[in-house]
Amino acid sequence: MKAVIFDMDGVIVDTEPYNMRRVYEYVHSLRPEARIEDMYQNAGRVKEDVWTRIASIIGKGKGWEETRADYEKNWKPNHPFAIPYKEIFRKDTITILKWARECGMNTAVASSTSYEKVKEILTEVEVTPYLDLIISGEFFEKSKPDPAIYLKTAELLGVKPEECIAIEDSTAGITAAKCAGMTVIALKDERFGFDRSLADDVIETLGDFIQHIQIFINK
C-alpha cells in the first residue's frame, strides 16, 4: 500500500450531525412534516446532489440553486450556527497520518465539501502539515458514489488505485472508493443507516485503524 486517503466530514471531523441539523431546521420551516431522517442520504455528497434532494423534499417547485441561495441569503444570516471543529476533531487522524508517513505512504483528503471549506477546516484542526494532497468533489461533474474523485486522487499522488487505502463512513463514500478499486476501511457510524457492505473492513474508531490495517494487509 502506498497511500492513505481520508474522507473529511464524518471521518476527520464529526460534522454530519451539525450539518444535517442546521439544514433540517431550514427544511422544517418550509415543510413541517419533513423528518431529520430525510437528510441522511445527503451525507458524503456534493452540494448539487444535496440541494437537489432538499429542493425535492421542500416541494416548492424551486431548483437546487434557487433553494440553496434562499438558505444562504435568507436563512443562515438570521440563524447563527457555529460548528466547534476542534471539539469534534478526531485526534487519532494525526496518529494515522504520522504512521503513514513513517511507512513511506502518501496522504490525502478527498472530500465532497467545497475546496475552500475543506482547507479552512483542516487548517483549523491542524491537519494540513501532514497531507500531500487535498481534493474536493466540487472539481468533478459527478460526486460520490461516482469514483472520479478517488481515481483522480490516486493519479495526482502517482499511485495506482489498488495501492490506496480509503477511510470512509458514508454509503456514497464507501461505494466511490470501492468502485475506484481501493481498499476501503469504513468508520462505523450507526446514526444514519449507512450501508457498509462494500467495505473491506469496519473499525469502531480511528484509533483501531493501524492495528486493523496491519492485520488486513498481512492476511
Side-chain angles (χ1 to χ4, degrees), residues 79-114:
H79 300 81
F81 188 92
I83 297 178
Y85 294 113
K86 288 188 176 180
E87 292 179 19
I88 59 175
F89 169 55
R90 293 190 169 109
K91 296 178 177 60
D92 287 318
T93 301
I94 299 295
T95 302
I96 296 170
L97 290 169
K98 286 181 176 179
W99 169 83
R101 285 285 179 84
E102 290 171 0
C103 294
M105 294 172 146
N106 290 317
T107 56
V109 165
S111 171
S112 295
T113 301
S114 68

Side-chain angles (χ1 to χ4, degrees), residues 147-148 150-151 161-162 175-182:
Y150 275 111
L151 292 171
E162 58 267 29
T175 303
K178 193 63 182 177
C179 288
M182 298 184 178

Side-chain angles (χ1 to χ4, degrees), residues 85 114-125 128:
Y85 294 113
S114 68
Y115 182 70
E116 289 304 319
K117 190 63 178 179
V118 173
K119 283 188 63 179
E120 175 189 329
I121 294 171
L122 294 179
T123 299
E124 182 172 339
V125 298
T128 49

Side-chain angles (χ1 to χ4, degrees), residues 2-5 97 100-101 104-108 130 132 157-159:
K2 296 182 179 179
V4 177
I5 306 170
L97 290 169
R101 285 285 179 84
M105 294 172 146
N106 290 317
T107 56
Y130 303 96
D132 296 304
L157 290 174
V159 298

Side-chain angles (χ1 to χ4, degrees), residues 8 38 46 50 52 54 60 68 77 91 96 105 111 136 150 156 158 176 183 187 201:
M8 184 184 73
D38 295 328
V46 294
V50 169
T52 296
I54 288 170
K60 300 293 185 181
R68 184 172 184 270
K91 296 178 177 60
I96 296 170
M105 294 172 146
S111 171
S136 164
Y150 275 111
L156 292 174
T183 296
L187 178 61
D201 198 3

